Amino acid sequence: MAKIVSHKRFNTGVFKRQEFVNCIIEDLKNRCGLEIKEFFIRKNLRFYQATVRGKRGREKVVIIGYGGTGKDLRDLPTPLQTELLPEIFKYWSKIAKENRKLPLLVLGHSFDEVFLRKMRLLNSTISDLRLIQYINVKRLESLKRRLDYLKDHYHNKVKTTGKIKNEVYDLQSVLVEYLQAGGELNGKKYSVLDVEFPAGEGTVKSEVIDILALERKTRWLTVIELKFEKLSNSRLQSSIFQGLDYCNWVEEHKEGLAMLFQKQRIVTRRRIRLIIINGPQKFPEFHKKVAQNVLAKDRYQEIELYYTNSSLPLNVNPFTKA
């Protein structure tokens, strides 16, 4: 006799936990002058009408808050998640009226790929969708401390020995120091926005971008992925696909990131640039082929590959540019 498996009904009451959404709201009040004009709860979602500081004064925004933890959002059944989309669209449409460019902010603890797939359905009909995760907001609270740690590591560990031995801390601290001192990559200078920046939910823990940077002249977001591997190592072999994955994540979140880094005046019209740096060896030739194929399919994407030496002073050499 076949065993009958009963599925536990999803408890929507977990979305009553709003501390993560509230934290994002408070952060946006400080970062971009968020002011709440209307607020109510429907089907366990929080609906807000608000204004923020924009390029041309105050601008109206619509906000949807998903309560609960990242695990709660991962456990949200996809049919139920789809059923919530009409409620979101109807509220946005009511406020937007004829303004199709009215921003919609979706706030929550963290968003996995299934959640993002549903958000893409909204993105197909709402031109300005901004996704903001609590894990990114929380991470930024420790930015100064983490950058100070890298600076201390550079001066007390790497600089004293003159040797770069690994990608975590060694190469990362050296490159951050290089960029902050005005060092160039292909004639361009970059500001470091963050390091080890959470980029979506992984199967075990959040994926992280080694360096999230901003090209200083064009204000163009850039993902910098670091490796310190031999050519035969599988981690190096897969690095270009890992970097493209991060670029896709940033592409979907760049409007929200522009709010978190409002002072940096990020330009979101451009595609996310990918830079991969390996030390002390170069790259397998197939990286060049992958980069060329990506460019053939998407002429707006840019991929730059560099390799470094394993000692100071740092030399950053171009492997290829697509």
Side-chain angles (χ1 to χ4, degrees):
M1 183 176 178
K3 184 178 180 179
I4 299 175
V5 179
S6 61
H7 296 281
K8 185 177 179 181
R9 185 177 179 85
F10 181 78
N11 178 20
T12 56
V14 297
F15 292 132
K16 293 179 181 179
R17 290 190 59 186
Q18 288 289 330
E19 64 266 33
F20 304 115
V21 172
N22 292 339
C23 178
I24 300 173
I25 292 288
E26 291 304 312
D27 186 81
L28 293 179
K29 286 180 180 179
N30 295 326
R31 290 183 186 276
C32 47
L34 176 73
E35 294 181 1
I36 304 297
K37 303 297 182 182
E38 175 182 283
F39 161 71
F40 64 88
I41 300 174
R42 179 184 295 157
K43 293 192 175 182
N44 294 298
L45 295 183
R46 291 201 168 194
F47 294 76
Y48 303 84
Q49 182 182 163
T51 62
V52 295
R53 287 193 302 268
K55 296 179 180 178
R56 300 175 182 176
R58 304 293 301 182
E59 67 175 13
K60 187 184 295 185
V61 297
V62 171
I63 301 174
I64 304 297
Y66 279 80
T69 66
K71 182 181 184 304
D72 296 327
L73 290 178
R74 289 196 301 273
D75 292 342
L76 176 62
T78 52
L80 178 55
Q81 189 174 336
T82 304
E83 290 174 10
L84 294 173
L85 297 182
E87 295 292 333
I88 297 173
F89 181 79
K90 283 189 291 185
Y91 182 65
W92 173 85
S93 185
K94 172 186 173 183
I95 307 302
K97 296 180 181 178
E98 300 303 321
N99 179 15
R100 300 291 103 182
K101 295 183 179 180
L102 180 70
L104 171 65
L105 281 60
V106 177
L107 315 182
H109 180 278
S110 52
F111 307 138
D112 71 343
E113 185 56 37
V114 175
F115 186 92
L116 292 177
R117 193 175 74 230
K118 297 303 178 183
M119 288 300 106
R120 291 182 193 113
L121 300 176
L122 285 176
N123 198 34
S124 63
T125 186
I126 297 175
S127 61
D128 192 349
L129 180 64
R130 308 179 187 183
L131 305 171
I132 303 179
Q133 300 182 133
Y134 166 80
I135 58 173
N136 293 121
V137 170
K138 185 66 177 177
R139 184 71 172 170
L140 290 176
E141 293 179 2
S142 62
L143 176 58
K144 183 180 184 304
R145 175 177 58 79
R146 289 182 286 110
L147 289 178
D148 286 344
Y149 179 85
L150 284 178
K151 189 177 186 69
D152 289 343
H153 182 86
Y154 170 77
H155 286 284
N156 299 327
K157 301 288 185 180
V158 185
K159 197 172 181 179
T160 55
T161 64
K163 300 294 184 181
I164 302 171
K165 300 177 180 179
N166 55 60
E167 86 192 42
V168 180
Y169 299 132
D170 277 14
L171 183 56
Q172 189 178 50
S173 66
V174 171
L175 190 67
V176 167
E177 190 77 12
Y178 174 83
L179 294 176
Q180 290 182 329
E184 297 183 350
L185 298 174
N186 192 37
K188 301 180 180 66
K189 296 183 179 182
Y190 292 87
S191 298
V192 175
L193 297 181
D194 203 348
V195 294
E196 302 295 311
F197 190 70
E201 285 283 316
T203 54
V204 179
K205 60 181 181 179
S206 295
E207 302 283 346
V208 293
I209 297 170
D210 289 336
I211 299 175
L212 181 64
L214 187 69
E215 200 273 308
R216 295 183 185 181
K217 184 177 181 180
T218 62
R219 324 303 297 177
W220 194 353
L221 278 170
T222 303
V223 167
I224 301 179
E225 180 65 16
L226 304 178
K227 295 295 179 209
F228 200 82
E229 305 288 355
K230 296 180 180 179
L231 290 178
S232 59
N233 194 299
S234 59
R235 292 183 71 247
L236 180 60
Q237 298 277 333
S238 62
S239 62
I240 192 165
F241 295 105
Q242 181 183 7
L244 288 169
D245 191 25
Y246 292 157
C247 282
N248 289 339
W249 185 89
V250 176
E251 191 70 39
E252 289 191 310
H253 290 77
K254 62 185 179 182
E255 297 292 347
L257 293 176
M259 296 188 73
L260 296 183
F261 296 100
Q262 190 177 59
K263 291 182 179 179
Q264 282 72 20
R265 298 179 289 108
I266 293 173
V267 174
T268 59
R269 296 189 302 272
R270 305 295 296 272
R271 186 79 80 254
I272 309 304
R273 176 184 287 125
L274 172 60
I275 291 176
I276 310 177
I277 302 175
N278 186 48
Q281 297 189 26
K282 298 184 180 182
F283 287 90
E285 280 297 316
F286 91 90
H287 277 61
K288 184 185 295 185
K289 189 169 185 178
V290 171
Q292 290 169 344
N293 286 350
V294 170
L295 182 61
K297 186 173 182 179
D298 183 356
R299 63 189 180 93
Y300 296 106
Q301 179 70 64
E302 286 197 10
I303 301 174
E304 299 178 12
L305 305 177
Y306 299 87
Y307 63 97
T308 72
N309 53 331
S310 58
S311 60
L312 297 180
L314 181 71
N315 294 316
V316 185
N317 307 293
F319 174 69
T320 186
K321 180 179 182 295

